[in-house]
Amino acid sequence: MVQGGDCGSINASLDYSFQLTEPLLGSGSILAEDIKVGCAPYILSLPQRSTLPITGGALKLNQLKLSGNESAMTLNGEVGLAKGFDLSLDGGLYLSSLLPLMPALDNLRGLLTTKVSLRGPLDDPSFHGSAALSGGEFGIHEPDVEAHKIAGNFALNGKGISFEKLTGAVNSGTFEMSGTVLPADPERSSLTARLNQVTIEPIPDSSITVSGDFRLGTGQEKRQTLSGDLSIDFAEVKKEFNLNKIIVNAISGYFLPSRIKQQASSSSKPMDLDLDVRIHAPRNIFVITPFFSAELNADVRATRSISEPSLDGKME
């Protein structure tokens, strides 16, 4: 038996014969008593024991179905040390089964319907196909982010994932996203997002509602840049008014959440982005402190980088 903690196990026996001159081109079979994929309690498993043939050093999969928790995936094709992957996968997967693999999230739901092929060498495969998400939800406790009614279509094209329109509701407002994500080369990824009346709390005792556009992509200095143009629809700040802290926490906390930054950079150099975000507020910032009360307007530009932002502009 091979186990992977709470996130998968295989109980099988191997019958394999080969010529000494061609050890990777043998034949035989695998008797799979049990296969479990995913993390408890959301596990896809083999409903019954199955015999999987091995021909020419490749394991053959013919309508191999894994199911559980209203999810089901079907595998077809072959995989071998010499031949690599030549697999197709289709079915529906409830995203809650992936939650233990994503510690940055406190909640994850939705149905992902896929039709995907996996081809290429074992150490460098590529994905092709399509996927559709419906009823998506996720939550992050700190900062407080609650998104629901997320839906969209995705295209997998080799090393990247593209989506034309991913929509949903977040923090009493709505969002729309499009772009391309390259997991193996994140610095070449590009995303655009439009927010409409999304409410955030960048510091205690504050409530700020924003609308506007964001873009993540290569900037003028040929580095990955977070740029955008935001409008503050309404803001109420009590007790402490620190504009620098509000803007820094909003950008680095909400639009690039800290736990996701840490996870993405845990195995490489620390993640940082150039910054070029403009913030406009036409006289609708209400400040209420023990020392004064005021209604303000602002026109501010945040530049330099996520880790060390610089603010320039005016507030009246």
Side-chain angles (χ1 to χ4, degrees), residues 291-311:
F291 307 104
F292 73 97
S293 298
E295 180 182 359
L296 308 175
N297 64 60
D299 189 355
V300 178
R301 183 182 182 188
T303 58
R304 290 182 63 181
S305 68
I306 290 286
S307 61
E308 296 182 354
S310 174
L311 304 181

Side-chain angles (χ1 to χ4, degrees), residues 1 10-16 28-34 49-52 54 59:
M1 176 182 286
I10 298 175
N11 183 6
S13 57
L14 171 66
D15 178 14
Y16 185 72
S29 63
I30 291 179
L31 177 59
E33 299 282 355
D34 189 26
R49 61 187 295 184
S50 299
T51 300
L52 310 176
I54 300 174
L59 177 65

Side-chain angles (χ1 to χ4, degrees), residues 19 62 90 120 127 146 158 171 179 182 191 203 222 257 260:
Q19 296 182 5
N62 182 20
D90 61 85
F127 289 86
E146 290 291 338
N171 287 24
L182 302 173
L191 297 170
I203 63 173
K222 306 301 181 182
I260 294 177

Side-chain angles (χ1 to χ4, degrees), residues 101-250:
L101 300 175
M102 299 183 179
L105 302 180
D106 297 302
N107 176 47
L108 182 64
R109 298 179 183 273
L111 175 62
L112 186 66
T113 305
T114 64
K115 190 173 184 63
V116 177
S117 66
L118 175 62
R119 294 187 172 90
L122 297 182
D123 61 347
D124 190 26
S126 61
F127 289 86
H128 297 268
S130 61
L133 174 63
S134 60
E137 299 180 13
F138 73 86
I140 301 175
H141 176 65
E142 188 177 349
D144 185 17
V145 177
E146 290 291 338
H148 55 279
K149 296 182 180 179
I150 305 172
N153 296 311
F154 304 84
L156 288 77
N157 41 34
K159 304 298 182 183
I161 304 171
S162 300
F163 49 99
E164 291 186 0
K165 190 175 182 182
L166 183 68
T167 61
V170 58
N171 287 24
S172 302
T174 61
F175 73 90
E176 180 178 316
M177 294 182 64
S178 62
T180 299
V181 177
L182 302 173
D185 191 5
E187 292 187 356
R188 294 181 55 226
S189 299
S190 62
L191 297 170
T192 60
R194 172 160 293 179
L195 308 178
N196 183 36
Q197 295 190 336
V198 174
T199 300
I200 61 176
E201 186 181 334
I203 63 173
D205 298 304
S206 69
S207 178
I208 300 176
T209 301
V210 299
S211 300
D213 298 321
F214 270 104
R215 179 180 181 273
L216 179 65
T218 304
Q220 294 182 351
E221 301 298 326
K222 306 301 181 182
R223 292 191 296 265
Q224 194 76 332
T225 302
L226 179 66
S227 59
D229 197 333
L230 289 181
S231 173
I232 298 179
D233 302 313
F234 175 83
E236 185 176 84
V237 182
K238 299 179 180 179
K239 293 185 179 180
E240 176 189 13
F241 181 71
N242 184 323
L243 180 62
N244 185 79
K245 187 175 181 180
I246 290 172
I247 293 177
V248 169
N249 286 2

